[in-house]
Amino acid sequence: VMIISIQGSMAVGKTTLLANLQKKFPDAVFSYEDVTPVIGDIQRKHLDKMVFEDYLAIQKLWIAHEVQRYQKVKDYPLVFMDFGAEEIDFYTRFYPQAIGQEWHVLSSLKNELTQLSYCLPDYIIFLEAKNETLRKRKASDNTRTRNFFDFQLEKLLRAIYANLSKVHSQFSVDIAKWLFLVFGVVPI
Protein backbone atom coordinates (compact mmCIF):
# COMPACT_ATOMS: atom_id res chain seq x y z
CA VAL A 1 0.00 0.00 0.00
CA MET A 2 1.33 3.42 -0.99
CA ILE A 3 -0.52 6.70 -0.56
CA ILE A 4 0.87 9.73 -2.35
CA SER A 5 -0.46 13.22 -1.82
CA ILE A 6 -0.15 16.00 -4.39
CA GLN A 7 0.32 19.28 -2.58
CA GLY A 8 0.81 22.92 -3.54
CA SER A 9 -0.86 26.26 -4.04
CA MET A 10 -4.05 26.78 -5.97
CA ALA A 11 -3.35 26.97 -9.72
CA VAL A 12 0.02 25.23 -9.39
CA GLY A 13 -0.99 22.25 -11.53
CA LYS A 14 -2.14 19.55 -9.11
CA THR A 15 -5.17 18.58 -11.21
CA THR A 16 -3.04 18.51 -14.36
CA LEU A 17 -0.45 16.30 -12.68
CA LEU A 18 -3.16 13.96 -11.38
CA ALA A 19 -4.65 13.67 -14.88
CA ASN A 20 -1.23 12.72 -16.26
CA LEU A 21 -0.62 10.26 -13.43
CA GLN A 22 -3.99 8.68 -14.11
CA LYS A 23 -2.84 7.95 -17.67
CA LYS A 24 0.42 6.47 -16.38
CA PHE A 25 -1.22 4.47 -13.56
CA PRO A 26 -4.73 3.52 -14.73
CA ASP A 27 -5.15 0.93 -11.96
CA ALA A 28 -4.34 3.37 -9.17
CA VAL A 29 -7.07 4.99 -7.06
CA PHE A 30 -7.37 8.78 -7.36
CA SER A 31 -8.98 10.61 -4.46
CA TYR A 32 -9.97 14.19 -5.15
CA GLU A 33 -10.66 16.64 -2.36
CA ASP A 34 -14.40 17.35 -2.08
CA VAL A 35 -14.99 20.30 0.23
CA THR A 36 -18.74 20.58 -0.40
CA PRO A 37 -19.98 18.60 2.64
CA VAL A 38 -17.75 20.42 5.11
CA ILE A 39 -18.46 23.86 3.66
CA GLY A 40 -22.18 23.05 3.89
CA ASP A 41 -21.87 22.10 7.57
CA ILE A 42 -19.88 25.25 8.34
CA GLN A 43 -22.50 27.43 6.64
CA ARG A 44 -25.46 25.65 8.30
CA LYS A 45 -23.86 26.05 11.71
CA HIS A 46 -22.87 29.69 11.00
CA LEU A 47 -19.30 29.06 12.12
CA ASP A 48 -16.70 31.83 11.81
CA LYS A 49 -13.08 30.74 11.49
CA MET A 50 -11.97 34.07 12.96
CA VAL A 51 -13.49 33.06 16.33
CA PHE A 52 -11.37 30.57 18.29
CA GLU A 53 -14.18 28.23 19.41
CA ASP A 54 -15.67 28.22 15.91
CA TYR A 55 -12.25 27.59 14.39
CA LEU A 56 -11.89 24.52 16.59
CA ALA A 57 -15.35 23.28 15.52
CA ILE A 58 -14.50 23.89 11.86
CA GLN A 59 -11.20 22.02 12.09
CA LYS A 60 -12.94 19.10 13.82
CA LEU A 61 -15.25 18.91 10.80
CA TRP A 62 -12.31 19.00 8.37
CA ILE A 63 -10.37 16.39 10.32
CA ALA A 64 -13.36 14.02 10.54
CA HIS A 65 -13.94 14.48 6.80
CA GLU A 66 -10.30 13.70 5.97
CA VAL A 67 -10.27 10.63 8.23
CA GLN A 68 -13.35 9.31 6.40
CA ARG A 69 -11.70 10.03 3.05
CA TYR A 70 -8.59 8.13 4.13
CA GLN A 71 -10.64 5.17 5.35
CA LYS A 72 -12.12 4.79 1.86
CA VAL A 73 -8.72 4.42 0.16
CA LYS A 74 -6.27 3.11 2.76
CA ASP A 75 -6.33 -0.52 1.62
CA TYR A 76 -5.68 0.04 -2.09
CA PRO A 77 -2.16 -0.74 -3.38
CA LEU A 78 -1.57 2.70 -4.96
CA VAL A 79 -3.48 5.87 -4.14
CA PHE A 80 -2.94 9.42 -5.36
CA MET A 81 -4.65 12.14 -3.34
CA ASP A 82 -5.44 15.70 -4.32
CA PHE A 83 -4.20 17.09 -1.02
CA GLY A 84 -4.19 14.78 1.95
CA ALA A 85 -4.20 14.68 5.72
CA GLU A 86 -1.01 16.77 5.80
CA GLU A 87 -2.95 19.72 4.35
CA ILE A 88 -5.56 19.59 7.10
CA ASP A 89 -2.87 19.08 9.75
CA PHE A 90 -0.77 21.98 8.53
CA TYR A 91 -3.73 24.33 8.10
CA THR A 92 -5.03 23.43 11.57
CA ARG A 93 -1.67 24.21 13.14
CA PHE A 94 -0.62 27.30 11.19
CA TYR A 95 -3.73 29.19 10.02
CA PRO A 96 -3.98 31.03 13.35
CA GLN A 97 -0.37 32.20 12.95
CA ALA A 98 -1.16 33.36 9.40
CA ILE A 99 -3.96 35.59 10.73
CA GLY A 100 -1.89 36.89 13.64
CA GLN A 101 -3.48 34.82 16.41
CA GLU A 102 -1.74 32.80 19.11
CA TRP A 103 -4.49 30.27 19.72
CA HIS A 104 -3.75 27.06 21.62
CA VAL A 105 -4.89 24.78 18.84
CA LEU A 106 -2.56 21.85 19.53
CA SER A 107 -3.77 21.29 23.07
CA SER A 108 -7.41 21.90 22.13
CA LEU A 109 -7.36 19.45 19.20
CA LYS A 110 -4.81 16.95 20.50
CA ASN A 111 -7.08 13.89 20.08
CA GLU A 112 -8.27 14.92 16.62
CA LEU A 113 -4.75 15.68 15.38
CA THR A 114 -3.55 12.34 16.73
CA GLN A 115 -6.34 10.59 14.82
CA LEU A 116 -5.43 12.58 11.70
CA SER A 117 -1.75 11.61 12.04
CA TYR A 118 -2.67 8.00 11.24
CA CYS A 119 -3.94 9.20 7.85
CA LEU A 120 -0.73 10.86 6.66
CA PRO A 121 0.48 9.82 3.21
CA ASP A 122 3.60 7.80 2.53
CA TYR A 123 4.89 10.45 0.13
CA ILE A 124 4.10 14.05 -0.72
CA ILE A 125 4.77 15.72 -4.02
CA PHE A 126 4.85 19.46 -3.34
CA LEU A 127 4.44 21.50 -6.51
CA GLU A 128 5.70 25.07 -6.65
CA ALA A 129 5.50 27.94 -9.13
CA LYS A 130 6.31 31.63 -9.03
CA ASN A 131 3.54 33.89 -7.72
CA GLU A 132 3.18 35.63 -11.09
CA THR A 133 2.70 32.25 -12.79
CA LEU A 134 0.06 31.24 -10.24
CA ARG A 135 -1.81 34.55 -10.69
CA LYS A 136 -1.79 34.15 -14.49
CA ARG A 137 -3.10 30.60 -14.23
CA LYS A 138 -5.84 31.69 -11.83
CA ALA A 139 -6.87 34.54 -14.11
CA SER A 140 -7.05 32.26 -17.15
CA ASP A 141 -9.08 29.53 -15.43
CA ASN A 142 -12.77 30.41 -15.43
CA THR A 143 -13.83 26.96 -14.23
CA ARG A 144 -13.01 27.67 -10.57
CA THR A 145 -13.56 30.59 -8.21
CA ARG A 146 -10.57 29.98 -5.92
CA ASN A 147 -11.88 32.48 -3.34
CA PHE A 148 -9.11 31.59 -0.90
CA PHE A 149 -6.35 32.13 -3.49
CA ASP A 150 -4.95 35.49 -2.35
CA PHE A 151 -4.91 34.55 1.32
CA GLN A 152 -3.23 31.24 0.55
CA LEU A 153 -0.62 32.89 -1.63
CA GLU A 154 0.12 35.89 0.59
CA LYS A 155 -0.28 34.47 4.10
CA LEU A 156 -0.58 30.70 4.30
CA LEU A 157 2.26 29.83 1.93
CA ARG A 158 4.50 32.14 3.96
CA ALA A 159 3.59 30.11 7.05
CA ILE A 160 4.41 26.93 5.14
CA TYR A 161 7.82 28.19 4.10
CA ALA A 162 8.51 29.64 7.56
CA ASN A 163 7.82 26.21 9.06
CA LEU A 164 9.26 24.08 6.26
CA SER A 165 11.87 22.49 8.51
CA LYS A 166 9.08 21.25 10.80
CA VAL A 167 7.15 19.92 7.83
CA HIS A 168 10.25 18.38 6.24
CA SER A 169 11.13 16.57 9.44
CA GLN A 170 7.73 14.85 9.34
CA PHE A 171 7.53 14.17 5.61
CA SER A 172 10.42 13.36 3.33
CA VAL A 173 10.17 12.64 -0.34
CA ASP A 174 12.70 10.40 -2.05
CA ILE A 175 12.94 12.21 -5.38
CA ALA A 176 15.02 9.51 -7.05
CA LYS A 177 12.41 6.89 -6.15
CA TRP A 178 9.68 9.18 -7.45
CA LEU A 179 11.33 9.79 -10.78
CA PHE A 180 11.72 6.05 -11.19
CA LEU A 181 8.14 5.26 -10.11
CA VAL A 182 6.48 7.92 -12.23
CA PHE A 183 8.72 8.13 -15.28
CA GLY A 184 10.76 4.94 -15.20
CA VAL A 185 14.06 6.84 -15.15
CA VAL A 186 16.84 7.21 -12.63
CA PRO A 187 18.23 10.75 -12.21
CA ILE A 188 21.84 11.35 -13.11
Side-chain angles (χ1 to χ4, degrees), residues 71-83:
Q71 291 298 322
K72 291 177 185 175
V73 302
K74 69 181 177 88
D75 294 323
Y76 288 96
L78 180 59
V79 178
F80 291 96
M81 298 185 91
D82 174 18
F83 289 123

Side-chain angles (χ1 to χ4, degrees), residues 138-150:
K138 179 191 181 267
S140 68
D141 184 358
N142 296 323
T143 64
R144 303 177 197 189
T145 58
R146 293 184 167 133
N147 294 328
F148 198 60
F149 180 85
D150 289 325

Side-chain angles (χ1 to χ4, degrees), residues 35 54 72 139 168:
V35 301
D54 285 3
K72 291 177 185 175
H168 183 70

Side-chain angles (χ1 to χ4, degrees), residues 87-104:
E87 170 78 7
I88 303 300
D89 182 275
F90 193 88
Y91 186 92
T92 300
R93 293 170 189 267
F94 296 109
Y95 175 80
Q97 176 186 330
I99 62 168
Q101 297 294 335
E102 293 187 24
W103 292 338
H104 299 285

Side-chain angles (χ1 to χ4, degrees), residues 13 20 45 60 62 70-71 109 116 138 151 155 160:
N20 287 323
K45 295 176 181 184
K60 286 179 182 181
W62 283 114
Y70 174 81
Q71 291 298 322
L109 295 176
L116 185 64
K138 179 191 181 267
F151 179 82
K155 302 276 187 177
I160 288 172

Side-chain angles (χ1 to χ4, degrees), residues 2-147:
M2 183 184 301
I3 297 179
I4 300 154
S5 177
I6 310 300
Q7 207 28 276
S9 177
M10 293 177 191
V12 76
K14 293 180 301 293
T15 303
T16 301
L17 175 59
L18 285 167
N20 287 323
L21 288 169
Q22 205 156 12
K23 292 174 191 170
K24 181 76 175 168
F25 301 101
D27 295 332
V29 171
F30 287 79
S31 177
Y32 292 88
E33 182 183 46
D34 178 11
V35 301
T36 309
V38 178
I39 297 294
D41 284 348
I42 292 167
Q43 291 172 343
R44 277 189 294 286
K45 295 176 181 184
H46 304 288
L47 298 173
D48 180 356
K49 67 182 172 185
M50 301 302 283
V51 175
F52 178 64
E53 293 77 15
D54 285 3
Y55 179 73
L56 295 177
I58 289 168
Q59 291 315 109
K60 286 179 182 181
L61 292 171
W62 283 114
I63 291 169
H65 179 71
E66 190 61 31
V67 169
Q68 288 175 344
R69 181 177 171 219
Y70 174 81
Q71 291 298 322
K72 291 177 185 175
V73 302
K74 69 181 177 88
D75 294 323
Y76 288 96
L78 180 59
V79 178
F80 291 96
M81 298 185 91
D82 174 18
F83 289 123
E86 77 287 350
E87 170 78 7
I88 303 300
D89 182 275
F90 193 88
Y91 186 92
T92 300
R93 293 170 189 267
F94 296 109
Y95 175 80
Q97 176 186 330
I99 62 168
Q101 297 294 335
E102 293 187 24
W103 292 338
H104 299 285
V105 174
L106 298 182
S107 59
S108 300
L109 295 176
K110 182 180 178 183
N111 293 337
E112 290 82 1
L113 287 168
T114 298
Q115 187 179 18
L116 185 64
S117 72
Y118 300 123
C119 304
L120 294 172
D122 300 300
Y123 295 97
I124 298 169
I125 298 176
F126 190 90
L127 303 179
E128 293 181 271
K130 293 181 181 180
N131 287 0
E132 66 185 58
T133 301
L134 296 172
R135 289 188 187 284
K136 286 178 187 176
R137 288 179 182 169
K138 179 191 181 267
S140 68
D141 184 358
N142 296 323
T143 64
R144 303 177 197 189
T145 58
R146 293 184 167 133
N147 294 328

